[in-house]
């Protein structure tokens, strides 16, 4: 069983991801997971969305360079070592993981060209900025509930 991933090739400049996301919103497409990677001047935006056909139609109508490819999507148990176990299964069988990324729940990670400025701008928005201590606390709280 696979899911459809849409890869969009774009210039690595401010606003290009937002343009794609606006196209998805206009088409009534919900992003469930994404990855953005740059290769210098260009980037690859990868998306897992609820309606791949509608997303592709919107992207192609806007002249975007994009492709659909099958990927595997897993839901892991939130325990230490689970990701390592899964990767080990594939490695033992000689299967290379070319890339991976997390799906959206409520947490996302952003690497920006100006992290301090981005953090200051987002501090006034209705989002919660997460610290390293917050991550440790969340994991400890979950472990305590399971004990």
């Amino acid at each position: 069983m696979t899911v459809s991933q849409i890869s969009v090739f774009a210039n690595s400049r401010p606003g290009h991801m937002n343009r794609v996301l606006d196209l998805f919103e206009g088409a009534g497409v919900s992003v469930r997971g994404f990855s953005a990677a740059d290769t210098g001047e260009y980037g690859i935006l990868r998306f897992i969305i609820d309606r791949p056909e509608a997303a592709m139609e919107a992207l192609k109508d806007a002249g975007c360079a994009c492709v659909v490819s099958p990927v595997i999507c897993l839901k892991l148990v939130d325990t230490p070592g689970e990701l390592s176990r899964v990767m080990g299964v594939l490695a033992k069988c000689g299967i290379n993981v070319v890339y991976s990324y997390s799906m959206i729940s409520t947490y996302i990670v952003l690497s920006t060209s100006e992290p301090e400025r981005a953090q200051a701008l987002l501090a006034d928005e209705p989002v919660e900025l997460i610290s390293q201590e917050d991550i440790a606390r969340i994991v400890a709280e979950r472990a305590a509930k399971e004990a």
Side-chain angles (χ1 to χ4, degrees), residues 19-31:
R19 181 177 146 229
V20 171
L21 294 170
D22 285 347
L23 290 171
F24 289 165
E25 182 180 5
V29 171
S30 178
V31 175

Side-chain angles (χ1 to χ4, degrees), residues 8-27 29 31 34-36 44-47 58-59 62 64 108 110 122:
V8 182
F9 306 96
N11 289 321
S12 185
R13 293 198 174 96
H16 284 269
M17 182 185 290
N18 188 243
R19 181 177 146 229
V20 171
L21 294 170
D22 285 347
L23 290 171
F24 289 165
E25 182 180 5
V29 171
V31 175
F34 74 97
S35 169
I44 301 173
L45 309 174
R46 293 182 171 104
F47 298 95
L59 290 167
C64 294
I108 64 169
L110 303 173
L122 292 172

Side-chain angles (χ1 to χ4, degrees), residues 25-86:
E25 182 180 5
V29 171
S30 178
V31 175
R32 307 310 306 151
F34 74 97
S35 169
D38 77 34
T39 59
E41 289 187 40
Y42 298 95
I44 301 173
L45 309 174
R46 293 182 171 104
F47 298 95
I48 302 298
I49 38 75
D50 62 337
R51 301 176 50 232
E53 299 83 10
M56 284 299 288
E57 183 177 337
L59 290 167
K60 287 183 178 182
D61 287 350
C64 294
C66 54
V67 297
V68 176
S69 54
V71 294
I72 298 168
C73 183
L74 306 170
K75 182 177 180 183
L76 302 180
V77 177
D78 189 8
T79 59
E82 185 65 2
L83 180 59
S84 177
R85 184 187 68 76
V86 169

